[in-house]
Amino acid sequence: MGSPDIEILQDVPDELKARSDSKGEAALRGHLKAEGQEETGSQSYVPPDPKDDKALSLALELLRGTKVNAAFPPNPKAAVPN
């Protein structure tokens, strides 16, 4: 499993930081086991209000062209075949 092209870390409220379900899928009971080194995974916390969702906001800004990132749009020739 590779790393994301664009990584956005969501702000997790202080009262939820100690909970294991905000640390990512790998911390969840019954998660799928990875072959080799177990990675930490992505954050599992999604804010209840979409306006507070950093990943969603950046995705919309990239699609609308109001923000730019070298990884977007992705280069299909650089993709690794499955």
Side-chain angles (χ1 to χ4, degrees):
M1 177 183 232
S3 58
D5 291 338
I6 303 172
E7 183 176 25
I8 302 297
L9 294 177
Q10 183 63 49
D11 296 327
V12 178
D14 289 338
E15 64 271 14
L16 298 179
K17 284 183 180 175
R19 291 178 47 182
S20 64
D21 63 352
S22 67
K23 292 183 176 31
E25 183 180 346
L28 297 175
R29 184 171 45 90
H31 76 279
L32 298 175
K33 301 291 183 189
E35 293 180 19
Q37 178 68 29
E38 185 79 25
E39 300 292 331
T40 57
S42 61
Q43 288 180 313
S44 60
Y45 174 73
V46 177
D49 190 337
K51 73 175 179 53
D52 297 326
D53 190 327
K54 287 183 168 183
L56 176 62
S57 294
L58 179 61
L60 292 172
E61 289 170 339
L62 289 171
L63 289 170
R64 292 176 180 140
T66 57
K67 288 250 175 139
V68 295
N69 187 292
F72 183 84
N75 179 357
K77 293 181 180 174
V80 178
N82 290 334

